[in-house]
C-alpha cells in the first residue's frame, strides 16, 4: 500500500531552487521591477535581518531570548524599526507584542492579521518564529516600494508575539492568547524559576499590565478577517518531497504536565534497598511507562465508547510524548532524593484520543507510585486542542505558494504539499479569535530548536514571495 506521503514523494516534482551564490548576478537583473521577484528585499535583506536578529541573545555563545528578557526587548525594538521601514504604524501592547499596521483603502474593513513569535527556546536556531515575522514585513515593504501599500482593500497587521515557546513561565502563547482573548487573569501571577511573575516581568519593562488592560487586549472578532502564519516546517517532509513550501491543514493538540514524585530522603550508603522510597527510581519507571504508551497506544488503551478503532489508529500515527525537563532535590550524589519533578509534553492530532491517553497514563502512574510507596502529583499546566485550518485561507495560501514558485522557476509547478503540524504555533491560540491558515517553509533535515536549524536563502525568498502573492489578492 502506498501511503499519502510516499505518493507525494513519487509524484511531486522535485524543486531545487538555485543557490544564492550561483544566482547573485542573475538575481540583480531579476530583482524588483516588472518580474515581481524583489530578491533584494525578500531574500537578501530578509536573510540579513534573520542573521541580525539571531545575534540578539541573552546568552554568550548561543541564542536564548525569552519573554520580557533584555534580549527580547532589544529584539522588539529592532522588529518595530523594520515595521516602520515598511511603512507600517507601530505600537507595543500590554503583553509586549509588537504590532505594525497599514489601514489600506478602508480602515473599517475586517483586518488580515499576519504573525509569529519573537521569543526562542534555549540554544535556539535563528528561523523559528523570526522567519514568519520578517517575511511578512518584507512583503509589505515590497508593496510600499511599489506604491501599492495603501491600495490594500483591507487593513493588514503584522504581530510579533512576545511569547509562544513558554520557556520562562512554562505557559505557552502568552502573547497570542492575550490578543485572542483566551489568556486567564491568573496567568499574570505565574512565576518563573526566580520567583518573578508575568506581571512583574512586564512592569520591569515599563508595561503596566492590569486585569482591565489584559481584557482590553482582546481583538473584536468582528474586526478581524483572518490570521495567517508562515513558519519553518520543523520536520523533514518538505525536504523529502523536494518542495520549498507547503500548506498546513491542521495542528496537533497538546498537553503539558508537571509530575512531582515525593519519597523519603536518606543516606545513599545506609538505607537498605528493600526499605527505600526512592522517587528517582519511581520517576524512571514512570518515564518508561510514558514512552511505552506513546510508542504503542493500542497496547494500553481499551476499546469503549470513548476510544474506538479510528481513535486508536489516529494515535498510532500521531501520538508523541516527551520528557524535556527533570530536577531532583537535594540533588547530591550521596543522597537518596526526597523529590523528583519532571515535565511531560504529549501531542496528538485527535483530541479525544489525547484525552484517552492522558487518562490511561495518569491511572497507571498512580498505580506505580502506590506500589513504590511514593506520592505522585500530576498537574496539567497547558492544554491546546487540535486546530483545523480554514479551507478558504488554505486554498489562497496554496495558490500564493504556487504563484511564488512559478515566479522563481518560470514554470508551472506540481501541487503544493498539504501537511499536518505536530508542533504548536500561535495559530492555535488565534483560532479562538478568527479563521487561520499556515504556510510551512522547508528546513534542512527537519531540524529545529537547535543551532543547526537552517533554511536556504532561496526558500526564505520563496516564503516572502508567497506572502506577497497572498497580499496581492487583497490589493
Amino acid at each position: 500500500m502506498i501511503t499519502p506521503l510516499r505518493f507525494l514523494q513519487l509524484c511531486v516534482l522535485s524543486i531545487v531552487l538555485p543557490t544564492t551564490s550561483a544566482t547573485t548576478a542573475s538575481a540583480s537583473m531579476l530583482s524588483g521591477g516588472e518580474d515581481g521577484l524583489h530578491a533584494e528585499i525578500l531574500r537578501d535583506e530578509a536573510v540579513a535581518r534573520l542573521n541580525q536578529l539571531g545575534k540578539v541573545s541573552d546568552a554568550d555563545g548561543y541564542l536564548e531570548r525569552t519573554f520580557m528578557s533584555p534580549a527580547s526587548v532589544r529584539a522588539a525594538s529592532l522588529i518595530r524599526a523594520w515595521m516602520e521601514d515598511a511603512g507600517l504604524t507601530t505600537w507595543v501592547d500590554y503583553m509586549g507584542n509588537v504590532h505594525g499596521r497599514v489601514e489600506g483603502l478602508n480602515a473599517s474593513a475586517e483586518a488580515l492579521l499576519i504573525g509569529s513569535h519573537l521569543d526562542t527556546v534555549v540554544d535556539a536556531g535563528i528561523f523559528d518564529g523570526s522567519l514568519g515575522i520578517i517575511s511578512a514585513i518584507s512583503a509589505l515593504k515590497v508593496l510600499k516600494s511599489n506604491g501599492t501599500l495603501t491600495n490594500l482593500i483591507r487593513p493588514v497587521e503584522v504581530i510579533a508575539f512576545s511569547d509562544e515557546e513558554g520557556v520562562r513561565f512554562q505557559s505557552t502563547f502568552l502573547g497570542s492568547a492575550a490578543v485572542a482573548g483566551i489568556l486567564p487573569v491568573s496567568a499574570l501571577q505565574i512565576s518563573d524559576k526566580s520567583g518573578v511573575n508575568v506581571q512583574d516581568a512586564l512592569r520591569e519593562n515599563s508595561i503596566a499590565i492590569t486585569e482591565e488592560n489584559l481584557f482590553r487586549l482582546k481583538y473584536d472578532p468582528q474586526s478581524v478577517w483572518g490570521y495567517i502564519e508562515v513558519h519553518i516546517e520543523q520536520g523533514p517532509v518538505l525536504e523529502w518531497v523536494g518542495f520549498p513550501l507547503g500548506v498546513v491543514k491542521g495542528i496537533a493538540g497538546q498537553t503539558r504536565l508537571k509530575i512531582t514524585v515525593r519519597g523519603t530522603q536518606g543516606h545513599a550508603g545506609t538505607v537498605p534497598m528493600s526499605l527505600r522510597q526512592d522517587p528517582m527510581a519511581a520517576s524512571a519507571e514512570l518515564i518508561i511507562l510514558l514512552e511505552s504508551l506513546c510508542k504503542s497506544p493500542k497496547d494500553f488503551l481499551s476499546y469503549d465508547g470513548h476510544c474506538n478503532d479510528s481513535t486508536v489508529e489516529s494515535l498510532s500515527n500521531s501520538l508523541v510524548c516527551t520528557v524535556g525537563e527533570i530536577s531532583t532535590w537535594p540533588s547530591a550524589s550521596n543522597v537518596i532524593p526526597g523529590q523528583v519533578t519532571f515535565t511531560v509534553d504529549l501531542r496528538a492530532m485527535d483530541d479525544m484520543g489525547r484525552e484517552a491517553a492522558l487518562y490511561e497514563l495518569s491511572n497507571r502512574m498512580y498505580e506505580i507510585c502506590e506500589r513504590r510507596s511514593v506520592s505522585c502529583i500530576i498537574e496539567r499546566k497547558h492544554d491546546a486542542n487540535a486546530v483545523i485550518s480554514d479551507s478558504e485561507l488554505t486554498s489562497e495560501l496554496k495558490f500564493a505558494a504556487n504563484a511564488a514558485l512559478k515566479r522563481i522557476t518560470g514554470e508551472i509547478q506540481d501541487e503544493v504539499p498539504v501537511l499536518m503540524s505536530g508542533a504548536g504555533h500561535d495559530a492555535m491560540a488565534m483560532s479562538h479569535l478568527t479563521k487561520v491558515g499556515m504556510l510551512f517553509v522547508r528546513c534542512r533535515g527537519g531540524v529545529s530548536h537547535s543551532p543547526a536549524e537552517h533554511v536556504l536563502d532561496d526558500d526564505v525568498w520563496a516564503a516572502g514571495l508567497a506572502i506577497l502573492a497572498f497580499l496581492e489578492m487583497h490589493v
Side-chain angles (χ1 to χ4, degrees), residues 99-111:
H99 302 250
R101 184 178 174 107
V102 57
E103 298 296 351
L105 295 173
N106 184 2
S108 62
E110 297 174 328

Side-chain angles (χ1 to χ4, degrees), residues 177-238:
V179 171
I182 60 170
L183 187 69
V185 173
S186 58
L188 296 179
Q189 303 308 316
I190 298 173
S191 296
D192 64 12
K193 293 177 180 178
S194 301
V196 177
N197 65 32
V198 171
Q199 189 171 37
D200 293 335
L202 288 161
R203 285 176 174 168
E204 287 173 1
N205 289 283
S206 303
I207 299 177
I209 183 70
T210 63
E211 182 175 330
E212 181 183 355
N213 290 339
L214 178 61
F215 289 135
R216 286 166 56 188
L217 284 178
K218 180 184 178 180
Y219 277 39
D220 179 359
Q222 301 301 317
S223 70
V224 180
W225 178 76
Y227 170 83
I228 64 170
E229 182 171 354
V230 173
H231 204 281
I232 60 171
E233 182 195 354
Q234 300 178 286
V237 177
L238 289 175

Side-chain angles (χ1 to χ4, degrees), residues 16-214:
V16 181
L17 298 180
T19 63
T20 303
S21 59
T23 60
T24 302
S26 60
S28 64
M29 298 171 61
L30 295 174
S31 62
E34 297 178 358
D35 51 48
L37 287 171
H38 305 282
E40 79 286 0
I41 296 175
L42 298 177
R43 185 190 62 196
D44 302 341
E45 183 177 72
V47 170
R49 286 176 170 180
L50 283 163
N51 286 313
Q52 184 178 352
L53 195 60
K55 295 175 182 175
V56 181
S57 174
D58 290 302
D60 293 328
Y62 61 90
L63 177 56
E64 177 183 347
R65 194 168 59 235
T66 59
F67 179 74
M68 285 294 110
S69 70
S72 176
V73 174
R74 295 198 304 274
S77 297
L78 200 56
I79 290 168
R80 189 173 183 178
W82 292 337
M83 287 177 171
E84 292 172 353
D85 177 56
L88 308 182
T89 300
T90 67
W91 69 96
V92 177
D93 68 25
Y94 286 111
M95 195 51 68
N97 300 313
V98 185
H99 302 250
R101 184 178 174 107
V102 57
E103 298 296 351
L105 295 173
N106 184 2
S108 62
E110 297 174 328
L112 166 65
L113 307 181
I114 311 175
S116 200
H117 58 98
L118 62 85
D119 67 317
T120 75
V121 297
V122 178
D123 199 21
I126 69 171
F127 298 94
D128 184 356
S130 299
L131 176 63
I133 299 168
I134 290 172
S135 294
I137 294 171
S138 298
L140 287 164
K141 183 174 179 177
V142 169
L143 294 183
K144 177 190 175 186
S145 69
N146 287 343
T148 58
L149 182 62
T150 56
N151 293 341
L152 290 161
I153 62 173
R154 67 178 71 256
V156 175
E157 185 174 320
V158 180
I159 309 177
F161 294 114
S162 57
D163 173 273
E164 185 258 17
E165 300 289 3
V167 171
R168 181 174 181 182
F169 292 98
Q170 295 296 298
S171 181
T172 58
F173 308 136
L174 287 175
S176 50
V179 171
I182 60 170
L183 187 69
V185 173
S186 58
L188 296 179
Q189 303 308 316
I190 298 173
S191 296
D192 64 12
K193 293 177 180 178
S194 301
V196 177
N197 65 32
V198 171
Q199 189 171 37
D200 293 335
L202 288 161
R203 285 176 174 168
E204 287 173 1
N205 289 283
S206 303
I207 299 177
I209 183 70
T210 63
E211 182 175 330
E212 181 183 355
N213 290 339
L214 178 61

